[in-house]
Amino acid sequence: MSQTANAQAGADAAPQDPAPNEQPVGSPHDQTDTLPIPAESGHGAIIEIPATRSSISDVHMQRLSLSPSMKDRRGSRNSFGVSLPIPRSPRKSSRLSMVERPGMHVRDIIASEVQDQAKEKVEKVKNMAFVFDIDGVLAHGNNAIPEAKAALKMLNGDNELGIQFPYILLTNGGGKTEEARCAQLSEVLGYPISTDQFIQSHTPMQALAEYYENVLVCGGEGLKVREVAESYGFKNVIHPKDILAWDPTISPCRKFTEEEQKLAKPRDFSKFKFDAILCFAESHDQATEFQIILDLLLSANGRLLTRAKDPAARDAVAGHIPIYFSQGDLLCPTEHKGPPRLHLGAFRVSLEAQYKALTGRDLERIVYGKPERATYICADEVIKSWMEEIHGEKRLPKNIYMIGDNPQSDIIGGNLYGWNTCLVRTGVFQGKGNDENNPANFGVFDQVLDAVKAAVRKELGDDFKFKWDPKKHSPHGSAVE
């Protein structure tokens, strides 16, 4: 069944009060046993990608949610019959300007001359690209992995050709705008990261703004996800803190700071119809978000303080409002020196268990992020655009290397999409050999620099030098930084 965004046009418009026992909208003949997905929007800027889930019985849903495996040919944890709308082209965004250094222009001129004399190697550089996960590969939280800085230094031009290798960042992290996250990463990694070479878990979800107007947006620190959703074009963005400010009793175990109280935007939510729930990042106030999300899932068509007549009834399943998760990772490496910490996937699994305990039914939901095929289609477009930005050629390189630390998202997704996958031991994965269920097809490496060097040597030969030699290339033998 298709569900359109039949939402109020203005932030303060008030639809009619629902009846206390109102059933979900739609006739019994329209009800299905799958989650409603948006109807075609009629906008040429949106593509709907079928979820890459194989036809495995729902009986195994929970087990496979915790441990998706290549052995089961399961590319996602999505419900049956869903699609993932994504933008047709990358989001237009502001670029970060490169920081100029003394002698930079002289170096560029010399590097151009060197590249003119090594056209075959240059073509090989342009025919390969790297896709990096961030957490556990390039950094642990706000601390860069030392070898990651060395790898980026080489890819940004510290090599025998003085040439920039194409690379993008593809992360299941989120919770901030792309601009804010790239500014943060630029500081952490020591190199400018452009929004044009960056995709986070909820970047493709901007397409959903074409379908839904009134959305509850959850996760992240403070109220930052509101800014994210508004930057994507959602018209009426509600944060759980707005609801908490309206009615503090809605969450018995509430967590509410003075700053959040000041930033909250309360209104009479008893007269507000929600169209969808978007979980952009891991929750920093799980008690409140669990409570409000469940209230809406069990409500009469997205209205707080109501309950569907029988939420557990078979013909009511299609009636609960859609819920989207930006990604499904159970674990994420952080600054913590012990094992990886629980992530958004753990929040989703907990919510599924609560929903099933209340209704006796599995929660129908849609999950974006790696390893979903929709995310990789977005990545293709970003790689092509970044190729045009740095080399003037808008095309997809033949040899793409995905470097990640999580076999259940980075590696399985890259494998299914036909990329060369490299698994590193600096994050979620800590094994000695390859991962048994989701093996990296190019190899396993101690850290990212080893993986980058191995890929470059495969494409350009063992004699390729990973340092720019200024004295060798300077016309007067002087150093050119």
Side-chain angles (χ1 to χ4, degrees):
M1 184 187 77
S2 295
Q3 175 173 316
T4 57
N6 181 21
Q8 66 183 54
D12 294 317
Q16 291 182 351
D17 290 339
N21 275 339
E22 180 180 350
Q23 294 189 26
V25 173
S27 69
H29 299 291
D30 293 331
Q31 304 291 347
T32 67
D33 198 25
T34 57
L35 182 68
I37 60 173
E40 293 202 10
S41 65
H43 297 272
I46 304 300
I47 308 172
E48 290 190 359
I49 309 299
T52 52
R53 173 179 177 174
S54 59
S55 55
I56 297 174
S57 170
D58 271 343
V59 173
H60 303 294
M61 180 185 292
Q62 192 68 21
R63 177 178 63 81
L64 291 171
S65 292
L66 294 171
S67 184
S69 168
M70 283 288 289
K71 289 182 177 180
D72 298 302
R73 301 300 297 168
R74 181 180 173 82
S76 77
R77 295 144 299 255
N78 272 315
S79 300
F80 288 114
V82 301
S83 68
L84 283 71
I86 61 172
R88 186 174 293 276
S89 58
R91 186 169 65 97
K92 300 297 181 184
S93 51
S94 58
R95 296 182 174 90
L96 294 173
S97 58
M98 296 294 290
V99 178
E100 293 194 7
R101 304 180 302 276
M104 187 173 180
H105 295 299
V106 175
R107 171 180 169 149
D108 287 346
I109 293 172
I110 296 172
S112 179
E113 293 174 353
V114 171
Q115 292 163 26
D116 284 341
Q117 298 172 12
K119 292 183 179 179
E120 185 176 346
K121 282 188 175 179
V122 169
E123 284 307 307
K124 289 181 178 179
V125 170
K126 293 179 180 179
N127 208 27
M128 67 181 301
F130 290 93
V131 179
F132 294 105
D133 180 41
I134 298 175
D135 296 305
V137 175
L138 301 180
H140 292 138
N142 287 322
N143 299 319
I145 295 173
E147 292 85 359
K149 286 189 171 184
L152 294 185
K153 183 178 182 182
M154 191 280 292
L155 294 177
N156 282 323
D158 187 21
N159 55 68
E160 67 173 67
L161 298 174
I163 193 170
Q164 186 172 357
F165 284 71
Y167 70 87
I168 69 168
L169 277 57
L170 179 64
T171 176
N172 269 356
K176 299 179 180 179
T177 63
E178 283 74 11
E179 289 79 7
R181 183 69 168 130
C182 284
Q184 177 189 16
L185 285 170
S186 299
E187 183 176 349
V188 169
L189 298 173
Y191 291 93
I193 302 297
S194 168
T195 54
D196 290 336
Q197 63 181 140
F198 176 75
I199 304 172
Q200 56 187 339
S201 61
H202 46 68
T203 301
M205 293 174 71
Q206 63 191 277
L208 295 174
E210 299 288 347
Y211 302 93
Y212 306 115
E213 291 190 0
N214 301 337
V215 293
L216 177 74
V217 182
C218 303
E221 300 177 41
L223 285 80
K224 294 178 182 177
V225 290
R226 187 207 303 280
E227 183 181 356
V228 175
E230 290 176 344
S231 75
Y232 291 165
F234 289 97
K235 291 183 174 61
N236 298 319
V237 180
I238 308 303
H239 192 279
K241 302 297 184 184
D242 301 334
I243 298 172
L244 200 57
W246 164 64
D247 181 4
T249 66
I250 203 165
S251 175
C253 302
R254 58 190 172 274
K255 174 186 171 186
F256 207 22
T257 66
E258 285 188 21
E259 181 181 1
E260 290 168 340
Q261 178 78 55
K262 292 177 183 177
L263 295 174
K265 299 179 179 179
R267 66 178 76 176
D268 186 357
F269 288 107
S270 67
K271 301 182 179 182
F272 188 89
K273 179 185 177 298
F274 289 85
D275 299 320
I277 302 165
L278 312 178
C279 297
F280 275 175
E282 65 276 15
S283 173
H284 286 237
D285 187 3
Q286 292 191 8
T288 296
E289 295 190 359
F290 278 142
Q291 187 67 70
I292 293 175
I293 291 173
L294 285 167
D295 279 346
L296 286 175
L297 291 174
L298 300 175
S299 71
N301 201 32
R303 293 180 172 93
L304 288 171
L305 305 184
T306 71
R307 277 290 185 268
K309 192 169 185 179
D310 185 359
R314 191 170 189 81
D315 65 355
V317 174
H320 79 64
I321 67 173
I323 179 167
Y324 294 82
F325 294 87
S326 68
Q327 49 94 352
D329 284 354
L330 190 67
L331 299 172
C332 178
T334 67
E335 296 97 336
H336 180 60
K337 295 180 180 179
R341 303 290 85 188
L342 294 172
H343 207 34
L344 179 58
F347 180 86
R348 175 183 56 79
V349 170
S350 299
L351 184 67
E352 289 172 352
Q354 293 169 37
Y355 182 85
K356 188 160 189 176
L358 290 169
T359 67
R361 299 189 62 84
D362 289 317
L363 174 66
E364 298 289 340
R365 67 278 189 275
I366 300 178
V367 185
Y368 275 78
K370 297 175 289 187
E372 270 299 325
R373 183 170 176 265
T375 295
Y376 293 85
I377 292 175
C378 281
D380 276 351
E381 294 304 311
V382 171
I383 292 171
K384 286 190 287 187
S385 293
W386 190 241
M387 275 285 294
E388 183 179 32
E389 172 68 17
I390 64 174
H391 291 308
E393 302 177 14
K394 189 172 184 178
R395 62 180 177 85
L396 198 62
K398 180 180 178 182
N399 306 300
I400 298 179
Y401 290 83
M402 172 77 216
I403 303 180
D405 68 300
N406 191 335
Q408 294 184 3
S409 57
D410 303 323
I411 303 306
I412 188 176
N415 286 346
L416 290 171
Y417 204 59
W419 288 354
N420 302 297
T421 52
C422 310
L423 183 58
V424 295
R425 298 186 176 95
T426 47
V428 171
F429 181 75
Q430 301 287 332
K432 292 182 179 180
N434 211 331
D435 184 73
E436 181 180 349
N437 292 325
N438 310 297
N441 59 42
F442 187 69
V444 183
F445 304 89
D446 287 336
Q447 34 78 10
V448 64
L449 182 59
D450 288 344
V452 167
K453 285 185 173 181
V456 171
R457 286 180 176 132
K458 179 180 182 296
E459 302 298 335
L460 281 85
D462 292 336
D463 60 341
F464 188 83
K465 296 176 177 58
F466 298 100
K467 294 288 292 182
W468 171 259
D469 188 343
K471 291 184 179 180
K472 178 180 178 181
H473 300 301
S474 171
H476 305 294
S478 57
V480 179
E481 296 297 331

